[in-house]
PDB file of all heavy atoms in Angstrom:
ATOM      1  N   GLN A 363     -23.659  81.942 -15.290  1.00  0.00           N
ATOM      2  CA  GLN A 363     -22.453  82.573 -14.743  1.00  0.00           C
ATOM      3  C   GLN A 363     -22.245  82.170 -13.279  1.00  0.00           C
ATOM      4  O   GLN A 363     -21.123  82.008 -12.814  1.00  0.00           O
ATOM      5  CB  GLN A 363     -22.538  84.102 -14.845  1.00  0.00           C
ATOM      6  CG  GLN A 363     -22.339  84.656 -16.238  1.00  0.00           C
ATOM      7  CD  GLN A 363     -23.551  84.433 -17.138  1.00  0.00           C
ATOM      8  OE1 GLN A 363     -24.663  84.283 -16.663  1.00  0.00           O
ATOM      9  NE2 GLN A 363     -23.323  84.378 -18.450  1.00  0.00           N
ATOM     10  N   ASP A 364     -23.373  82.010 -12.541  1.00  0.00           N
ATOM     11  CA  ASP A 364     -23.266  81.656 -11.125  1.00  0.00           C
ATOM     12  C   ASP A 364     -22.650  80.277 -10.919  1.00  0.00           C
ATOM     13  O   ASP A 364     -22.048  80.003  -9.889  1.00  0.00           O
ATOM     14  CB  ASP A 364     -24.652  81.676 -10.470  1.00  0.00           C
ATOM     15  CG  ASP A 364     -25.223  83.083 -10.447  1.00  0.00           C
ATOM     16  OD1 ASP A 364     -24.439  84.027 -10.313  1.00  0.00           O
ATOM     17  OD2 ASP A 364     -26.454  83.220 -10.589  1.00  0.00           O
ATOM     18  N   THR A 365     -22.868  79.387 -11.879  1.00  0.00           N
ATOM     19  CA  THR A 365     -22.376  78.021 -11.717  1.00  0.00           C
ATOM     20  C   THR A 365     -21.079  77.785 -12.493  1.00  0.00           C
ATOM     21  O   THR A 365     -20.616  76.654 -12.580  1.00  0.00           O
ATOM     22  CB  THR A 365     -23.442  77.018 -12.191  1.00  0.00           C
ATOM     23  OG1 THR A 365     -23.828  77.375 -13.529  1.00  0.00           O
ATOM     24  CG2 THR A 365     -24.659  77.029 -11.292  1.00  0.00           C
ATOM     25  N   SER A 366     -20.521  78.855 -13.069  1.00  0.00           N
ATOM     26  CA  SER A 366     -19.272  78.680 -13.825  1.00  0.00           C
ATOM     27  C   SER A 366     -18.122  78.348 -12.874  1.00  0.00           C
ATOM     28  O   SER A 366     -18.208  78.579 -11.663  1.00  0.00           O
ATOM     29  CB  SER A 366     -18.952  79.953 -14.607  1.00  0.00           C
ATOM     30  OG  SER A 366     -18.609  80.975 -13.703  1.00  0.00           O
ATOM     31  N   ARG A 367     -17.045  77.821 -13.433  1.00  0.00           N
ATOM     32  CA  ARG A 367     -15.887  77.433 -12.616  1.00  0.00           C
ATOM     33  C   ARG A 367     -15.329  78.629 -11.843  1.00  0.00           C
ATOM     34  O   ARG A 367     -14.974  78.531 -10.673  1.00  0.00           O
ATOM     35  CB  ARG A 367     -14.817  76.855 -13.548  1.00  0.00           C
ATOM     36  CG  ARG A 367     -13.690  76.145 -12.841  1.00  0.00           C
ATOM     37  CD  ARG A 367     -12.738  75.585 -13.877  1.00  0.00           C
ATOM     38  NE  ARG A 367     -13.303  74.440 -14.555  1.00  0.00           N
ATOM     39  CZ  ARG A 367     -13.025  73.174 -14.217  1.00  0.00           C
ATOM     40  NH1 ARG A 367     -12.211  72.937 -13.221  1.00  0.00           N
ATOM     41  NH2 ARG A 367     -13.547  72.170 -14.874  1.00  0.00           N
ATOM     42  N   MET A 368     -15.334  79.796 -12.503  1.00  0.00           N
ATOM     43  CA  MET A 368     -14.781  81.005 -11.870  1.00  0.00           C
ATOM     44  C   MET A 368     -15.632  81.410 -10.657  1.00  0.00           C
ATOM     45  O   MET A 368     -15.105  81.726  -9.589  1.00  0.00           O
ATOM     46  CB  MET A 368     -14.768  82.169 -12.871  1.00  0.00           C
ATOM     47  CG  MET A 368     -13.789  81.985 -14.014  1.00  0.00           C
ATOM     48  SD  MET A 368     -12.126  82.390 -13.533  1.00  0.00           S
ATOM     49  CE  MET A 368     -12.223  84.166 -13.519  1.00  0.00           C
ATOM     50  N   ALA A 369     -16.952  81.392 -10.858  1.00  0.00           N
ATOM     51  CA  ALA A 369     -17.841  81.817  -9.780  1.00  0.00           C
ATOM     52  C   ALA A 369     -17.756  80.868  -8.598  1.00  0.00           C
ATOM     53  O   ALA A 369     -17.728  81.304  -7.439  1.00  0.00           O
ATOM     54  CB  ALA A 369     -19.277  81.881 -10.298  1.00  0.00           C
ATOM     55  N   VAL A 370     -17.688  79.558  -8.875  1.00  0.00           N
ATOM     56  CA  VAL A 370     -17.590  78.571  -7.791  1.00  0.00           C
ATOM     57  C   VAL A 370     -16.269  78.754  -7.063  1.00  0.00           C
ATOM     58  O   VAL A 370     -16.199  78.675  -5.830  1.00  0.00           O
ATOM     59  CB  VAL A 370     -17.720  77.135  -8.359  1.00  0.00           C
ATOM     60  CG1 VAL A 370     -17.426  76.100  -7.279  1.00  0.00           C
ATOM     61  CG2 VAL A 370     -19.118  76.933  -8.922  1.00  0.00           C
ATOM     62  N   ALA A 371     -15.199  79.033  -7.810  1.00  0.00           N
ATOM     63  CA  ALA A 371     -13.886  79.242  -7.182  1.00  0.00           C
ATOM     64  C   ALA A 371     -13.907  80.465  -6.273  1.00  0.00           C
ATOM     65  O   ALA A 371     -13.298  80.466  -5.202  1.00  0.00           O
ATOM     66  CB  ALA A 371     -12.826  79.404  -8.264  1.00  0.00           C
ATOM     67  N   ASP A 372     -14.648  81.497  -6.681  1.00  0.00           N
ATOM     68  CA  ASP A 372     -14.755  82.702  -5.855  1.00  0.00           C
ATOM     69  C   ASP A 372     -15.503  82.418  -4.550  1.00  0.00           C
ATOM     70  O   ASP A 372     -15.143  82.901  -3.485  1.00  0.00           O
ATOM     71  CB  ASP A 372     -15.499  83.800  -6.634  1.00  0.00           C
ATOM     72  CG  ASP A 372     -14.572  84.463  -7.645  1.00  0.00           C
ATOM     73  OD1 ASP A 372     -13.348  84.260  -7.527  1.00  0.00           O
ATOM     74  OD2 ASP A 372     -15.081  85.160  -8.546  1.00  0.00           O
ATOM     75  N   GLN A 373     -16.570  81.626  -4.667  1.00  0.00           N
ATOM     76  CA  GLN A 373     -17.414  81.373  -3.497  1.00  0.00           C
ATOM     77  C   GLN A 373     -16.799  80.334  -2.557  1.00  0.00           C
ATOM     78  O   GLN A 373     -17.033  80.361  -1.361  1.00  0.00           O
ATOM     79  CB  GLN A 373     -18.796  80.887  -3.960  1.00  0.00           C
ATOM     80  CG  GLN A 373     -19.598  81.966  -4.656  1.00  0.00           C
ATOM     81  CD  GLN A 373     -20.809  81.378  -5.377  1.00  0.00           C
ATOM     82  OE1 GLN A 373     -21.320  80.349  -5.005  1.00  0.00           O
ATOM     83  NE2 GLN A 373     -21.235  82.053  -6.433  1.00  0.00           N
ATOM     84  N   HIS A 374     -16.048  79.384  -3.111  1.00  0.00           N
ATOM     85  CA  HIS A 374     -15.458  78.308  -2.305  1.00  0.00           C
ATOM     86  C   HIS A 374     -13.958  78.212  -2.600  1.00  0.00           C
ATOM     87  O   HIS A 374     -13.505  77.245  -3.223  1.00  0.00           O
ATOM     88  CB  HIS A 374     -16.148  76.966  -2.617  1.00  0.00           C
ATOM     89  CG  HIS A 374     -17.637  77.012  -2.465  1.00  0.00           C
ATOM     90  ND1 HIS A 374     -18.259  76.989  -1.242  1.00  0.00           N
ATOM     91  CD2 HIS A 374     -18.636  77.128  -3.385  1.00  0.00           C
ATOM     92  CE1 HIS A 374     -19.571  77.055  -1.405  1.00  0.00           C
ATOM     93  NE2 HIS A 374     -19.823  77.146  -2.706  1.00  0.00           N
ATOM     94  N   PRO A 375     -13.180  79.196  -2.152  1.00  0.00           N
ATOM     95  CA  PRO A 375     -11.750  79.206  -2.492  1.00  0.00           C
ATOM     96  C   PRO A 375     -10.998  77.990  -1.937  1.00  0.00           C
ATOM     97  O   PRO A 375     -10.097  77.482  -2.597  1.00  0.00           O
ATOM     98  CB  PRO A 375     -11.237  80.505  -1.860  1.00  0.00           C
ATOM     99  CG  PRO A 375     -12.282  80.906  -0.874  1.00  0.00           C
ATOM    100  CD  PRO A 375     -13.572  80.357  -1.355  1.00  0.00           C
ATOM    101  N   ASP A 376     -11.406  77.506  -0.752  1.00  0.00           N
ATOM    102  CA  ASP A 376     -10.699  76.355  -0.165  1.00  0.00           C
ATOM    103  C   ASP A 376     -10.858  75.109  -1.026  1.00  0.00           C
ATOM    104  O   ASP A 376      -9.915  74.357  -1.264  1.00  0.00           O
ATOM    105  CB  ASP A 376     -11.225  76.065   1.240  1.00  0.00           C
ATOM    106  CG  ASP A 376     -10.954  77.240   2.170  1.00  0.00           C
ATOM    107  OD1 ASP A 376     -10.072  78.043   1.810  1.00  0.00           O
ATOM    108  OD2 ASP A 376     -11.629  77.352   3.209  1.00  0.00           O
ATOM    109  N   GLU A 377     -12.093  74.873  -1.472  1.00  0.00           N
ATOM    110  CA  GLU A 377     -12.364  73.669  -2.262  1.00  0.00           C
ATOM    111  C   GLU A 377     -11.704  73.752  -3.625  1.00  0.00           C
ATOM    112  O   GLU A 377     -11.154  72.780  -4.131  1.00  0.00           O
ATOM    113  CB  GLU A 377     -13.873  73.482  -2.450  1.00  0.00           C
ATOM    114  CG  GLU A 377     -14.571  73.133  -1.144  1.00  0.00           C
ATOM    115  CD  GLU A 377     -16.080  73.080  -1.320  1.00  0.00           C
ATOM    116  OE1 GLU A 377     -16.549  72.864  -2.443  1.00  0.00           O
ATOM    117  OE2 GLU A 377     -16.779  73.269  -0.307  1.00  0.00           O
ATOM    118  N   SER A 378     -11.747  74.941  -4.210  1.00  0.00           N
ATOM    119  CA  SER A 378     -11.183  75.072  -5.557  1.00  0.00           C
ATOM    120  C   SER A 378      -9.664  74.960  -5.528  1.00  0.00           C
ATOM    121  O   SER A 378      -9.057  74.495  -6.492  1.00  0.00           O
ATOM    122  CB  SER A 378     -11.593  76.403  -6.185  1.00  0.00           C
ATOM    123  OG  SER A 378     -11.116  77.459  -5.390  1.00  0.00           O
TER     124      SER A 378
END
Side-chain angles (χ1 to χ4, degrees):
Chain A
Q363 286 75 24
D364 294 327
T365 53
S366 69
R367 192 178 287 262
M368 292 280 285
V370 172
D372 282 345
Q373 291 167 27
H374 306 283
D376 297 341
E377 292 175 24
S378 60

